[in-house]
Amino acid sequence: MTHQVILLGGQLLPVYIGFLERKPQVVHILYTKETVRLKTRLVKHFNGVKIFDYQADPYDYDSIQEIITNIICHNEGAIFELNLTSGTKLMALASQQVFQNLDSFSFYIDQKQNIIDISNGAKSKISSSISTKIFLSLSGHNSYTSNTLKSYSRAELELAKDIFELRKNKSGIGELFKLFRVLGVDSNASNFKYYDAKYKIHWQNKNLSVKAPRFNLNSHGENAFQILTTGLWWELIVSLVVKDWKSAKDVHMSLAIKSSQNDKLDKNEIDILLNTGQNILFLECKAGIVTQSDINKIRTVSKFYGGISSKSILVSFFKPKEHLIEKCQDLDIEIFYIQESSTKQNDIRTILTKLDRILTKIEI
């Protein structure tokens, strides 16, 4: 019977991955008074195993060694292993000393999804895949809603593509977007009509028609007006690209985290969530000008919903102002943008290469 000893720190994901990969029959959790809430959250996902827990002083080397020694002595004949990825450094040193003396297996999970045998440095790839539901639950968020590309019709996706091409080619559609802002258009309206010397806009019975000096748009679908009047067209364009990313196991759009106090209230909304099975990437899509409040939102999302196993990415149509780019660098927020240009257009599919690079930098 295999017993796994877990050192509980501020990150639950490496602990949970170690459990999934090694499949112990018994788990011993060393936690502190600061991580008792995390321990309660974690054990909900340890199904079908016996669980024992021990509160430890994270900076008392001798007492940690005593706890580990007692665990082993009270379970004579069991096979023991130690997950060193979490906990404080002193907890790891004290525990590893006991395991080393007993010649028992200790392992560490690195940022490249390898399990490393501490005794000889041998590596093996993580094979377990974690669902988006589990990822969010480990961060303390159990209720959310989201969409996928399947939520949108072919006509609506084609509308997003048409808007994208018009936006790149300086067709004047930016002036139409400004008009919508001036008019304070309700993007959820079931019907809308606007006529002047420049524009003829008609939205009724899920049919959309726009006539402008240099372009026309026609589409059908319950989301067509929202796609045109908000940044949803850009989210759809980005989603159409990232769904083909080889590391993406799960892609969510407009993922709304519900309040733990009232599940009818949205606490935050994430434009696009990419789940690789071992990591989460949060994409904030900006079709317009990036502001400081956008940066603040991105920072909050990564901090509260993903932890160190996640990464936040600003995906902007326009290049952000230099001081905001510097702010993103300071906050470890990645940036991808397409800059309008009359001579050259960046290929949005290069975001896939950037996602590959980002994944190698995430530390578990």
Side-chain angles (χ1 to χ4, degrees), residues 93-160:
L93 289 170
S95 303
Q96 172 59 9
Q97 184 62 56
V98 176
F99 269 69
Q100 188 174 4
N101 291 339
L102 296 173
D103 197 26
S104 294
F105 178 65
S106 301
F107 65 92
Y108 181 89
I109 301 173
D110 71 8
Q111 69 269 25
K112 295 182 179 180
Q113 289 81 51
N114 294 308
I115 290 185
I116 302 174
D117 184 337
I118 298 300
S119 66
N120 57 20
K123 296 180 180 180
S124 59
K125 276 291 181 183
I126 292 170
S127 60
S128 299
S129 184
I130 301 175
S131 69
T132 300
K133 182 177 180 179
I134 295 293
F135 262 115
L136 294 175
S137 178
L138 288 173
S139 69
H141 303 93
N142 298 302
S143 182
Y144 65 90
T145 59
S146 67
N147 293 327
T148 67
L149 285 171
K150 293 180 180 178
S151 305
Y152 300 92
S153 68
R154 179 178 296 181
E156 290 169 338
L157 296 178
E158 288 302 319
L159 173 62

Coordinates of all heavy atoms in Angstrom, one line a residue, residues 93-160:
L93 N 13.2 20.6 3.1 CA 14.5 20.1 3.6 C 14.4 19.1 4.7 O 15.1 18.1 4.7 CB 15.4 21.3 4.0 CG 15.9 22.2 2.9 CD1 16.5 23.5 3.5 CD2 16.9 21.5 2.0
A94 N 13.6 19.4 5.7 CA 13.4 18.5 6.8 C 12.8 17.2 6.4 O 13.2 16.1 6.8 CB 12.5 19.2 7.9
S95 N 11.8 17.2 5.6 CA 11.1 16.0 5.1 C 12.0 15.2 4.3 O 12.1 13.9 4.4 CB 9.8 16.4 4.4 OG 9.0 17.1 5.1
Q96 N 12.7 15.8 3.4 CA 13.6 15.1 2.5 C 14.7 14.4 3.2 O 15.2 13.3 2.8 CB 14.2 16.0 1.4 CG 15.3 15.5 0.5 CD 14.8 14.2 -0.3 OE1 13.6 13.9 -0.3 NE2 15.8 13.5 -0.9
Q97 N 15.2 15.0 4.3 CA 16.3 14.4 5.1 C 15.8 13.0 5.6 O 16.6 12.0 5.6 CB 16.7 15.3 6.2 CG 17.9 14.8 7.0 CD 19.1 14.7 6.2 OE1 19.6 15.6 5.6 NE2 19.7 13.5 6.2
V98 N 14.6 13.0 6.1 CA 14.1 11.7 6.7 C 13.9 10.7 5.5 O 14.3 9.5 5.7 CB 12.7 12.0 7.3 CG1 12.1 10.6 7.8 CG2 12.8 12.9 8.5
F99 N 13.4 11.1 4.4 CA 13.1 10.2 3.3 C 14.5 9.7 2.7 O 14.6 8.5 2.3 CB 12.3 10.9 2.2 CG 10.8 10.6 2.4 CD1 10.1 11.2 3.5 CD2 10.1 9.8 1.5 CE1 8.8 11.0 3.7 CE2 8.8 9.6 1.7 CZ 8.1 10.1 2.8
Q100 N 15.5 10.6 2.7 CA 16.8 10.2 2.2 C 17.4 9.1 3.1 O 18.0 8.2 2.6 CB 17.7 11.4 2.1 CG 19.0 11.2 1.4 CD 19.8 12.4 1.1 OE1 19.4 13.5 1.6 NE2 20.9 12.3 0.5
N101 N 17.3 9.3 4.4 CA 17.8 8.3 5.3 C 17.2 7.0 5.2 O 17.8 5.9 5.4 CB 17.7 8.8 6.8 CG 18.5 10.0 7.1 OD1 19.5 10.3 6.4 ND2 18.2 10.8 8.1
L102 N 15.9 7.0 4.8 CA 15.2 5.7 4.6 C 15.2 5.2 3.2 O 14.6 4.1 2.9 CB 13.7 5.9 5.0 CG 13.5 6.3 6.5 CD1 12.0 6.6 6.8 CD2 13.9 5.1 7.4
D103 N 15.9 5.9 2.3 CA 16.0 5.6 0.9 C 14.6 5.4 0.3 O 14.4 4.5 -0.5 CB 16.8 4.3 0.8 CG 17.3 4.0 -0.7 OD1 17.5 5.0 -1.4 OD2 17.5 2.9 -1.1
S104 N 13.7 6.3 0.6 CA 12.4 6.3 0.0 C 12.2 7.3 -1.1 O 13.0 8.3 -1.2 CB 11.3 6.6 1.1 OG 11.3 5.6 2.1
F105 N 11.3 7.1 -2.0 CA 11.1 7.9 -3.2 C 10.6 9.3 -2.9 O 9.6 9.5 -2.2 CB 10.1 7.2 -4.1 CG 9.8 8.0 -5.4 CD1 10.8 8.2 -6.3 CD2 8.5 8.4 -5.6 CE1 10.5 8.9 -7.5 CE2 8.3 9.1 -6.8 CZ 9.3 9.3 -7.8
S106 N 11.3 10.3 -3.4 CA 10.9 11.7 -3.3 C 10.8 12.3 -4.7 O 11.7 12.0 -5.5 CB 11.8 12.6 -2.4 OG 11.9 12.0 -1.1
F107 N 9.8 13.1 -5.0 CA 9.7 13.7 -6.3 C 9.3 15.2 -6.3 O 8.8 15.7 -5.3 CB 8.7 12.9 -7.2 CG 7.3 13.0 -6.7 CD1 6.4 13.9 -7.2 CD2 6.8 12.1 -5.8 CE1 5.1 14.0 -6.8 CE2 5.5 12.1 -5.3 CZ 4.6 13.1 -5.8
Y108 N 9.6 15.8 -7.4 CA 9.3 17.2 -7.6 C 8.7 17.4 -9.0 O 9.2 16.7 -10.0 CB 10.6 18.0 -7.5 CG 10.4 19.5 -7.7 CD1 10.2 20.3 -6.6 CD2 10.5 20.1 -8.9 CE1 10.0 21.7 -6.7 CE2 10.3 21.5 -9.1 CZ 10.1 22.3 -8.0 OH 9.9 23.6 -8.1
I109 N 7.7 18.3 -9.1 CA 7.1 18.5 -10.4 C 7.6 19.8 -11.0 O 7.4 20.9 -10.3 CB 5.6 18.5 -10.3 CG1 5.1 17.1 -9.8 CG2 4.9 18.8 -11.6 CD1 3.6 17.0 -9.4
D110 N 8.2 19.8 -12.1 CA 8.8 21.1 -12.7 C 7.8 21.8 -13.6 O 6.7 21.3 -13.9 CB 10.1 20.9 -13.3 CG 10.0 20.1 -14.6 OD1 8.9 19.9 -15.1 OD2 11.1 19.7 -15.2
Q111 N 8.2 23.0 -14.1 CA 7.4 23.8 -14.9 C 7.1 23.3 -16.3 O 6.3 23.7 -17.1 CB 7.9 25.2 -15.1 CG 9.2 25.4 -15.9 CD 10.4 25.2 -15.0 OE1 10.4 24.6 -14.0 NE2 11.5 25.8 -15.4
K112 N 7.9 22.2 -16.7 CA 7.7 21.6 -18.0 C 6.9 20.3 -17.9 O 7.0 19.5 -18.8 CB 9.1 21.4 -18.7 CG 9.8 22.6 -19.0 CD 11.2 22.4 -19.6 CE 11.9 23.7 -19.9 NZ 13.2 23.4 -20.6
Q113 N 6.2 20.2 -16.9 CA 5.3 19.0 -16.7 C 6.0 17.7 -16.6 O 5.6 16.7 -17.1 CB 4.2 18.9 -17.8 CG 3.1 20.0 -17.7 CD 3.6 21.3 -18.3 OE1 4.1 21.4 -19.4 NE2 3.4 22.4 -17.5
N114 N 7.2 17.8 -15.9 CA 8.0 16.5 -15.6 C 7.9 16.2 -14.1 O 7.9 17.1 -13.3 CB 9.4 16.7 -16.0 CG 9.7 16.9 -17.4 OD1 9.2 16.1 -18.3 ND2 10.4 18.0 -17.8
I115 N 7.8 14.9 -13.8 CA 8.0 14.5 -12.4 C 9.5 14.1 -12.3 O 10.0 13.2 -13.1 CB 7.1 13.3 -12.1 CG1 5.7 13.7 -12.0 CG2 7.6 12.7 -10.8 CD1 4.7 12.7 -11.5
I116 N 10.2 14.7 -11.4 CA 11.7 14.5 -11.2 C 11.9 13.6 -10.0 O 11.5 14.0 -8.9 CB 12.4 15.8 -11.1 CG1 12.2 16.7 -12.4 CG2 13.9 15.5 -11.0 CD1 12.8 18.0 -12.3
D117 N 12.6 12.5 -10.2 CA 13.0 11.7 -9.1 C 14.2 12.4 -8.4 O 15.3 12.5 -9.0 CB 13.4 10.3 -9.6 CG 13.8 9.3 -8.5 OD1 14.2 9.7 -7.4 OD2 13.8 8.1 -8.8
I118 N 14.0 12.8 -7.2 CA 15.1 13.5 -6.5 C 16.4 12.7 -6.3 O 17.5 13.3 -6.3 CB 14.6 14.0 -5.1 CG1 13.4 15.0 -5.3 CG2 15.7 14.8 -4.3 CD1 13.7 16.2 -6.1
S119 N 16.2 11.4 -6.2 CA 17.4 10.6 -5.9 C 18.4 10.5 -7.1 O 19.6 10.4 -6.9 CB 17.0 9.2 -5.5 OG 16.4 8.5 -6.6
N120 N 17.9 10.6 -8.3 CA 18.8 10.4 -9.4 C 18.5 11.4 -10.6 O 19.2 11.4 -11.6 CB 18.7 9.0 -10.0 CG 17.3 8.6 -10.4 OD1 16.4 9.5 -10.6 ND2 17.0 7.3 -10.5
G121 N 17.5 12.3 -10.4 CA 17.3 13.3 -11.5 C 16.5 12.8 -12.7 O 16.2 13.5 -13.6
A122 N 16.1 11.5 -12.6 CA 15.3 10.9 -13.7 C 14.0 11.7 -13.9 O 13.3 12.0 -12.9 CB 15.1 9.4 -13.5
K123 N 13.6 11.9 -15.1 CA 12.3 12.6 -15.4 C 11.3 11.7 -16.1 O 11.7 10.9 -17.0 CB 12.6 13.9 -16.3 CG 13.5 14.9 -15.6 CD 13.7 16.1 -16.6 CE 14.6 17.1 -15.9 NZ 14.8 18.3 -16.8
S124 N 10.0 12.0 -15.8 CA 9.0 11.3 -16.6 C 7.9 12.4 -16.8 O 7.6 13.2 -15.9 CB 8.4 10.1 -15.8 OG 7.9 10.5 -14.6
K125 N 7.3 12.3 -18.0 CA 6.2 13.3 -18.3 C 4.9 13.1 -17.6 O 4.5 11.9 -17.4 CB 6.0 13.3 -19.8 CG 6.9 14.1 -20.7 CD 6.7 15.6 -20.4 CE 7.7 16.4 -21.3 NZ 7.6 17.9 -21.0
I126 N 4.3 14.2 -17.2 CA 3.0 14.1 -16.6 C 2.0 13.7 -17.6 O 2.0 14.2 -18.7 CB 2.6 15.5 -15.9 CG1 3.5 15.8 -14.7 CG2 1.1 15.5 -15.6 CD1 3.3 17.2 -14.2
S127 N 1.1 12.7 -17.3 CA 0.1 12.3 -18.3 C -1.3 12.7 -17.9 O -2.2 12.7 -18.7 CB 0.2 10.7 -18.4 OG -0.1 10.1 -17.1
S128 N -1.5 13.1 -16.6 CA -2.8 13.5 -16.2 C -3.3 14.8 -16.8 O -2.5 15.7 -17.1 CB -2.8 13.6 -14.6 OG -2.5 12.4 -14.0
S129 N -4.5 14.9 -17.0 CA -5.1 16.1 -17.6 C -6.2 16.6 -16.6 O -7.1 15.8 -16.2 CB -5.8 15.9 -18.9 OG -6.3 17.1 -19.5
I130 N -6.2 17.9 -16.3 CA -7.1 18.4 -15.3 C -8.2 19.3 -16.0 O -7.8 20.1 -16.8 CB -6.3 19.3 -14.3 CG1 -5.3 18.5 -13.6 CG2 -7.3 19.9 -13.2 CD1 -4.4 19.2 -12.6
S131 N -9.4 19.1 -15.6 CA -10.5 19.8 -16.2 C -10.5 21.2 -15.8 O -10.0 21.6 -14.7 CB -11.8 19.1 -15.9 OG -12.1 19.3 -14.5
T132 N -11.2 22.1 -16.6 CA -11.3 23.5 -16.2 C -12.1 23.6 -14.9 O -11.8 24.5 -14.0 CB -12.1 24.3 -17.3 OG1 -11.3 24.2 -18.5 CG2 -12.2 25.7 -16.9
K133 N -13.1 22.8 -14.7 CA -13.9 22.8 -13.4 C -13.0 22.5 -12.2 O -13.1 23.2 -11.2 CB -15.0 21.7 -13.5 CG -15.9 21.7 -12.3 CD -17.0 20.7 -12.4 CE -17.9 20.7 -11.2 NZ -19.0 19.7 -11.3
I134 N -12.0 21.6 -12.3 CA -11.1 21.3 -11.2 C -10.2 22.4 -11.0 O -9.9 22.8 -9.9 CB -10.4 20.0 -11.4 CG1 -11.3 18.8 -11.5 CG2 -9.3 19.8 -10.4 CD1 -12.0 18.5 -10.1
F135 N -9.6 23.0 -12.1 CA -8.7 24.1 -12.0 C -9.3 25.2 -11.2 O -8.7 25.8 -10.2 CB -8.3 24.6 -13.4 CG -7.0 24.1 -13.9 CD1 -7.0 23.3 -15.0 CD2 -5.8 24.4 -13.3 CE1 -5.8 22.9 -15.5 CE2 -4.6 24.0 -13.8 CZ -4.6 23.2 -14.9
L136 N -10.5 25.6 -11.5 CA -11.2 26.7 -10.9 C -11.6 26.4 -9.4 O -11.5 27.2 -8.5 CB -12.4 27.2 -11.7 CG -12.1 27.8 -13.0 CD1 -13.4 28.1 -13.8 CD2 -11.3 29.1 -12.9
S137 N -12.0 25.1 -9.2 CA -12.4 24.7 -7.9 C -11.2 24.7 -7.0 O -11.3 25.1 -5.8 CB -12.9 23.3 -8.0 OG -13.2 22.8 -6.7
L138 N -10.0 24.4 -7.5 CA -8.8 24.4 -6.6 C -8.4 25.9 -6.2 O -7.7 26.1 -5.2 CB -7.6 23.8 -7.4 CG -7.6 22.3 -7.5 CD1 -6.5 21.8 -8.4 CD2 -7.6 21.6 -6.2
S139 N -8.9 26.9 -7.0 CA -8.7 28.3 -6.6 C -9.9 28.8 -5.8 O -9.9 30.0 -5.5 CB -8.5 29.1 -7.9 OG -9.7 29.2 -8.6
G140 N -10.8 27.9 -5.5 CA -11.9 28.3 -4.6 C -13.1 28.8 -5.3 O -14.0 29.4 -4.7
H141 N -13.2 28.5 -6.6 CA -14.3 29.1 -7.4 C -15.1 27.9 -8.1 O -14.6 27.3 -9.0 CB -13.8 30.0 -8.5 CG -13.1 31.2 -7.9 ND1 -11.7 31.2 -7.7 CD2 -13.5 32.3 -7.3 CE1 -11.3 32.3 -7.1 NE2 -12.4 33.0 -6.9
N142 N -16.2 27.6 -7.5 CA -16.9 26.4 -7.9 C -18.1 26.6 -8.9 O -18.7 25.6 -9.4 CB -17.5 25.7 -6.7 CG -16.4 25.2 -5.7 OD1 -15.5 24.5 -6.1 ND2 -16.4 25.7 -4.5
S143 N -18.4 27.8 -9.2 CA -19.6 28.1 -10.0 C -19.2 29.1 -11.1 O -18.6 30.2 -10.9 CB -20.7 28.7 -9.2 OG -21.9 28.9 -10.0
Y144 N -19.5 28.7 -12.4 CA -19.2 29.6 -13.5 C -20.0 29.2 -14.7 O -20.6 28.2 -14.7 CB -17.7 29.5 -13.9 CG -17.3 28.2 -14.4 CD1 -17.3 27.9 -15.8 CD2 -16.8 27.2 -13.6 CE1 -17.0 26.7 -16.3 CE2 -16.4 25.9 -14.1 CZ -16.5 25.7 -15.5 OH -16.1 24.5 -16.0
T145 N -20.1 30.2 -15.6 CA -20.8 29.9 -16.9 C -19.8 30.3 -18.0 O -19.0 31.1 -17.8 CB -22.1 30.7 -17.0 OG1 -21.8 32.1 -16.9 CG2 -23.1 30.3 -16.0
S146 N -20.0 29.7 -19.2 CA -19.2 30.1 -20.3 C -19.8 29.7 -21.6 O -20.8 28.9 -21.7 CB -17.8 29.4 -20.2 OG -17.9 28.0 -20.3
N147 N -19.2 30.2 -22.7 CA -19.6 29.8 -24.1 C -18.5 29.1 -24.8 O -17.3 29.2 -24.3 CB -20.0 31.1 -24.9 CG -21.3 31.7 -24.3 OD1 -22.2 31.0 -23.8 ND2 -21.4 33.0 -24.4
T148 N -18.8 28.6 -25.9 CA -17.7 28.1 -26.8 C -18.1 28.6 -28.2 O -19.1 29.2 -28.4 CB -17.7 26.5 -26.8 OG1 -18.9 26.0 -27.4 CG2 -17.5 26.0 -25.4
L149 N -17.2 28.3 -29.2 CA -17.5 28.7 -30.5 C -18.8 28.1 -31.1 O -19.4 28.6 -32.0 CB -16.3 28.4 -31.5 CG -15.1 29.3 -31.3 CD1 -13.9 28.7 -32.1 CD2 -15.4 30.7 -31.8
K150 N -19.2 26.9 -30.5 CA -20.4 26.2 -30.9 C -21.6 27.0 -30.6 O -22.7 26.8 -31.1 CB -20.5 24.9 -30.3 CG -19.4 23.9 -30.8 CD -19.5 22.5 -30.2 CE -18.5 21.6 -30.7 NZ -18.6 20.2 -30.0
S151 N -21.5 28.0 -29.7 CA -22.6 28.9 -29.3 C -23.0 29.9 -30.4 O -24.0 30.5 -30.3 CB -22.3 29.7 -28.0 OG -21.9 28.8 -27.0
Y152 N -22.1 30.0 -31.4 CA -22.3 31.0 -32.5 C -22.5 30.2 -33.8 O -21.9 29.2 -34.1 CB -21.1 31.9 -32.5 CG -20.9 32.6 -31.2 CD1 -20.1 32.1 -30.3 CD2 -21.6 33.8 -31.0 CE1 -19.9 32.8 -29.0 CE2 -21.4 34.5 -29.8 CZ -20.6 33.9 -28.8 OH -20.4 34.6 -27.6
S153 N -23.4 30.8 -34.6 CA -23.7 30.2 -35.9 C -22.6 30.5 -36.9 O -21.8 31.4 -36.7 CB -25.0 30.8 -36.5 OG -24.9 32.2 -36.8
R154 N -22.7 29.8 -38.0 CA -21.7 30.0 -39.1 C -21.7 31.5 -39.6 O -20.7 32.1 -39.9 CB -21.9 29.0 -40.2 CG -20.9 29.2 -41.4 CD -21.1 28.2 -42.4 NE -20.8 26.8 -41.9 CZ -20.9 25.7 -42.7 NH1 -21.3 25.8 -44.0 NH2 -20.7 24.6 -42.2
A155 N -23.0 32.0 -39.7 CA -23.2 33.3 -40.2 C -22.6 34.4 -39.3 O -22.0 35.4 -39.7 CB -24.7 33.6 -40.4
E156 N -22.7 34.1 -38.0 CA -22.1 35.0 -37.0 C -20.6 35.0 -37.0 O -20.0 36.1 -36.8 CB -22.7 34.7 -35.6 CG -24.2 35.0 -35.4 CD -24.8 34.4 -34.1 OE1 -24.2 33.4 -33.6 OE2 -25.8 34.9 -33.7
L157 N -20.0 33.8 -37.2 CA -18.6 33.8 -37.3 C -18.1 34.4 -38.5 O -17.0 35.1 -38.5 CB -18.1 32.3 -37.2 CG -18.4 31.5 -35.9 CD1 -18.0 30.1 -36.0 CD2 -17.8 32.2 -34.7
E158 N -18.8 34.3 -39.6 CA -18.4 35.0 -40.8 C -18.5 36.5 -40.7 O -17.7 37.2 -41.2 CB -19.3 34.5 -42.0 CG -19.1 33.1 -42.5 CD -17.6 32.9 -42.9 OE1 -17.1 33.8 -43.6 OE2 -17.0 31.9 -42.6
L159 N -19.5 37.0 -39.9 CA -19.6 38.4 -39.6 C -18.4 38.9 -38.9 O -17.9 40.0 -39.2 CB -20.9 38.7 -38.8 CG -21.1 40.1 -38.3 CD1 -21.2 41.1 -39.5 CD2 -22.3 40.2 -37.4
A160 N -18.0 38.1 -37.9 CA -16.7 38.5 -37.1 C -15.5 38.6 -38.1 O -14.7 39.5 -38.0 CB -16.5 37.5 -36.0

